[in-house]
Amino acid sequence: MSHGEIKMSDTTDYKVPALNAGEIFRNELVIKKSRFITSVGHTAGSEASEAFLAKIRQEFSDARHNCYAFNAGKGNETAFVGCSDDGEPKGTAGRPMLNVLVHSGIGEITVVVTRYFGGILLGTGGLVRAYQDSIKEALTQLPVKDAENLEELSFTVEPAGMHVVEQLVRKHGGRVTERSFSASSCNFRIVVSAKNSSALKHDLELLHR
């Protein structure tokens, strides 16, 4: 059912938003009559980032721009990052926001800046500053905490066994942070608390037999 070794690495030593599941930290700036509403969520993994983005887009569905940046992994790393200008001129929103986010040292975070146009054009330089200032001010006020004492596992399974892996991860309180597929396998990246990692690893190893 499965093949490949279980690889483990430590994922501690960075900050994450001190927010409960579903909780949103929010901040707002008004710049030349345009409203920039910043929404921040604690999103451990790409799936959690996507869910948070969908939630904010639905809440502000009448806004022309819901620009975003996220780091779904460790702080100060760029393995699981992404951003979007969402209709703003290229390079004026998503990338400047992501630059601030990556250098903040905060991981497992998604930030959406919603803009309601106030009738005064800001120009490309003004937009860059507005989106950067929005995220900087939000991160300055955002409550943070140390990341949990987590360990990361990499595991490969044949497609028929992927649901078994997902059940085992849930059983041990872990999270799937990434899935990738090939013609013959499904590759998982998983995070789990250090106290549960041995038990999860044992159960995954049983799938090799």
Side-chain angles (χ1 to χ4, degrees):
M1 179 181 289
S2 61
H3 55 89
E5 296 182 356
I6 301 173
K7 298 179 180 179
M8 303 181 66
S9 61
D10 190 12
T11 67
T12 57
D13 251 356
Y14 61 95
K15 299 292 185 181
V16 299
L19 301 172
N20 297 321
E23 187 177 1
I24 301 171
F25 176 83
R26 188 157 283 160
N27 185 66
E28 179 174 341
L29 291 180
V30 177
I31 302 173
K32 293 186 177 179
K33 298 185 178 180
S34 284
R35 295 176 62 202
F36 292 84
I37 304 169
T38 303
S39 304
V40 184
H42 181 189
T43 52
S46 56
E47 292 183 357
S49 287
E50 291 170 3
F52 183 79
L53 289 170
K55 180 178 180 179
I56 301 303
R57 287 191 185 111
Q58 182 177 19
E59 180 180 358
F60 296 108
S61 59
D62 61 332
R64 182 175 297 179
H65 307 290
N66 284 296
C67 308
Y68 66 82
F70 68 84
N71 180 359
K74 307 174 187 178
N76 297 315
E77 293 192 6
T78 58
F80 304 104
V81 301
C83 63
S84 172
D85 295 317
D86 193 35
E88 293 282 26
K90 185 177 180 180
T92 61
R95 180 59 59 178
M97 290 169 59
L98 183 59
N99 287 339
V100 174
L101 195 61
V102 169
H103 288 95
S104 73
I106 302 172
E108 302 177 17
I109 183 172
T110 300
V111 181
V112 183
V113 178
T114 301
R115 182 191 182 200
Y116 287 96
F117 183 52
I120 300 175
L121 295 175
L122 301 181
T124 55
L127 285 173
V128 169
R129 287 190 296 273
Y131 280 103
Q132 285 185 327
D133 288 348
S134 293
I135 192 171
K136 285 178 181 177
E137 181 163 315
L139 294 182
T140 297
Q141 300 178 40
L142 176 71
V144 295
K145 62 182 180 181
D146 290 330
E148 295 177 61
N149 185 17
L150 300 176
E151 290 184 352
E152 184 176 83
L153 313 180
S154 298
F155 189 71
T156 301
V157 66
E158 294 177 1
M162 61 179 292
H163 297 301
V164 177
V165 173
E166 291 170 345
Q167 290 172 359
L168 291 175
V169 172
R170 287 194 295 270
K171 171 185 173 183
H172 294 286
R175 298 189 298 269
V176 174
T177 58
E178 183 185 18
R179 294 181 187 83
S180 60
F181 298 90
S182 67
S184 61
S185 66
C186 177
N187 305 303
F188 287 89
R189 288 180 69 119
I190 302 159
V191 292
V192 64
S193 65
K195 65 181 180 181
N196 292 342
S197 64
S198 294
L200 175 57
K201 183 179 178 183
H202 175 265
D203 283 355
L204 290 173
E205 287 173 338
L206 292 178
L207 298 180
H208 287 295
R209 300 174 184 175

